[in-house]
Amino acid sequence: MRWSQTFIPTMKEVPAEAEVPSHQLMLRAGLIRQLMAGAYTYLPLGYRSVRKVSEIVRQEMDRAGAVELFMPALQPIEIFERTGRREAFGNVLFNFEVKRGDRKLHFALGPTHEEVITDLMARHISSYRQLPITLYQIQTKFRNEERPRFGVLRTSEFIMKDAYSFGSSLEQLNAAYDAMYNAYCKIFQRCGLKYLPVEAESGPIGGDASHEFMVPASNGEDFVVHCPACGYAANQERAETGRSSKVPAPVDGSAAPVKVDTPNAGSIDQVSRLLKSAATSFIKTLIYKADGQPVAVLLRGDHTANEGKIRRASGAASVELADEATILAATGAPVGFAGPVGIKCRVLVDHDVALIEKAIVGANEKDAHLTGVVPGTHFQFSETFDLRNAEAGDSCPRCGRNLEIVHGIEVGHVFKLGTKYSVSMEAKYVDAQEQSHPIIMGCYGIGVTRVVASVVETCHDENGIIWPLSIAPYSVEVIPLNVTDPEVMKISNGIYDELISSGIDVLMDDRDQRPGFKFKDADLIGIPLRVTIGGKGLAEGIAEIKWRTDSEAKKVPLADVIGYVKDLIAEKQMS
RNA sequence: CGGGCUAUAGCGCAGUCUGGCUAGCGCGCUUGACUGGGGGUCAAGAGGUCGUGGGUUCAAAUCCCGCUAGCCCGACCA
């Protein structure tokens, strides 16, 4: 492609609305333009990268035995009602009514396609002999994000590869899951991304039923708990801590707790300032409703609760923070003054709470706290749990070394769904004994556009993008330094044509601009290999060839340029 | 959805507090000349509903009220 014939609107200055590097560079390099919050046009250069990622995804999906299809983005709202996800998605689901004749139809735009594909399979799978099968598509998804941000990293409309596996046994599910997991590793590796498969919250199925693929990036919205020593990685929702503690025996004769006035100080922050004590000496008492029953959850004051862990520890199917009335009933005090001493409900104690020697707790009385509370003595418990989010410095559950927290961008997710959708959509098969069972499903997503943004986010320098060859919009940029010089253009056109005939993606900057201008743009758009043809070089009979990451170009005799470039590209592709 | 910030030429901004001449600057764009290896120089130009609706005033980019859009922080995110 000749630059003069395509559309690459580069910008020297950073648009004010862009804060993160990927957003800034994608705008400046002419990859994307915003239409409105959360919706972007992929310009020719950006779309080429999107297509390259898609193609890699396609190849690896096919190789893993998945088959491609294409489903409607437009879906009847009823199928979301069948699975209960109309409510689960809530406002995130785009849905609207349209008139058709004298009827009114209610549609949704697909945020993902479990319903559509399960409905399809329900109609056509009847026997275990038809299983297993994995289907996928690459398609635009719609989610009414409450807050689109970070350019293309979080949008209301984005391209996603979604795959769904259907099987008749856990073995088939596990095989499909493993095939997808491995394919994902290959895909992200081929896209030049540093990624981390992390254990993710997997709901009632438990175990290793879900992994997220995260790209470590300081602007990532998600937190990954990672052990650099053994490689353990999990998202913050899921991450276990390697902590445990003994239940302290009651101490006879220890001083009784002292009640102190804490008027209008209901938060840890307020009370710790009032009493001049660190948050680590507080016990935070959170009242949850576990399957409707009040439960008090005790955490050290500076820690944050993890609802998934609380749910598992309580043995309940669902937990939520209690409302004010429930808190009043359980503690006898308004929100902010709950404490474990004398509380009238079940109590779950986090490991770290047992280690506090003299704690400050709510007094279960308005505007009052207790100090000098000794866990195990002034309130009893028989067991401690892991109830909070992991933090940097916690010990690793696998190897005991220190965990660290890294930010990450979620680019993929694999999930063992089980029978949630097949039950509600009545997707069943009969086994060899003619018994009917719900099909066992898995779902597997990759944010294609997010992969592109993640690469830009993590692969750049102060001059611009540094594309990995595999997903670069073009592999080679040919730069004739002076387009008014017939000799320069003759040679440049020759190289350009020959490289194209060799099947290489080439961009030629044939604009009548000064060399410095073109070099700056070349660095900005980050095409991996640069071939420069100028009057000085021609006098020596050479062209200059350099990788985007090289500081010095290599002088290559004109006759050898094509072969040299082909070799470099082939070599890079092998590595 | 709560809190904050912003809106003036394609991009980045000044002007707004303290109302007043023809609304400015840099980049980019057009034309010409010079120039030609890291965003060049000179000259001449084009380009503006000052986000939008209302109000105050002799007079509004500027003050007041409403609305809209965008961005940031938080909540949310199968």
Side-chain angles (χ1 to χ4, degrees), chain A residues 224-441:
Chain A
V224 179
V225 178
H226 180 230
C227 174
C230 73
Y232 172 78
N235 71 11
Q236 190 155 41
E237 229 184 358
R238 165 80 199 172
E240 300 157 27
T241 64
R243 299 169 301 133
S244 63
S245 61
K246 292 220 168 66
V247 175
V251 180
D252 287 339
S254 75
V258 178
K259 189 187 288 184
V260 293
D261 286 338
T262 51
N264 299 317
S267 73
I268 298 281
D269 197 40
Q270 290 166 331
V271 184
S272 78
R273 239 177 298 149
L274 193 70
L275 301 181
K276 301 198 166 43
S277 300
T280 50
S281 61
F282 281 73
I283 295 175
K284 180 165 23 181
T285 305
L286 300 166
I287 311 298
Y288 277 85
K289 275 166 87 170
D291 290 347
Q293 294 301 308
V295 175
V297 171
L298 305 191
L299 300 175
R300 203 172 79 188
D302 57 321
H303 289 151
T304 54
N306 180 307
E307 289 194 10
K309 293 178 179 180
I310 292 166
R311 178 167 49 73
R312 284 189 292 275
S314 66
S318 74
V319 298
E320 56 178 344
L321 270 173
D323 53 87
E324 288 180 33
T326 308
I327 292 172
L328 190 63
T331 67
V335 178
F337 300 96
V341 181
I343 197 163
K344 295 186 287 287
C345 67
R346 187 177 164 201
V347 175
L348 293 173
V349 180
D350 182 72
H351 295 311
D352 288 341
V353 166
L355 303 175
I356 304 174
E357 289 178 4
K358 284 190 175 158
I360 302 169
V361 306
N364 293 327
E365 188 179 309
K366 183 170 163 50
D367 295 340
H369 279 72
L370 300 178
T371 64
V373 173
V374 181
T377 299
H378 296 125
F379 63 97
Q380 271 80 42
F381 47 94
S382 56
E383 201 181 350
T384 62
F385 301 91
D386 181 7
L387 298 173
R388 64 164 170 88
N389 287 327
E391 298 193 344
D394 280 343
S395 51
C396 172
R398 298 277 194 280
C399 74
R401 309 277 268 282
N402 281 359
L403 291 170
E404 60 184 36
I405 307 267
V406 297
H407 289 264
I409 301 165
E410 182 185 350
V411 289
H413 197 166
V414 292
F415 199 100
K416 293 180 188 174
L417 279 176
T419 57
K420 176 174 180 329
Y421 295 95
S422 48
V423 167
S424 54
M425 304 290 293
E426 296 183 51
K428 295 175 287 197
Y429 69 96
V430 293
D431 63 19
Q433 285 76 44
E434 297 191 322
Q435 296 295 305
S436 179
H437 304 281
I439 302 176
I440 301 173
M441 294 174 57

Side-chain angles (χ1 to χ4, degrees), chain A residues 144-155:
Chain A
N144 182 30
E145 291 292 348
E146 295 296 326
R147 189 180 158 208
R149 62 181 130 175
F150 297 143
V152 121
L153 279 173
R154 188 167 196 77
T155 51

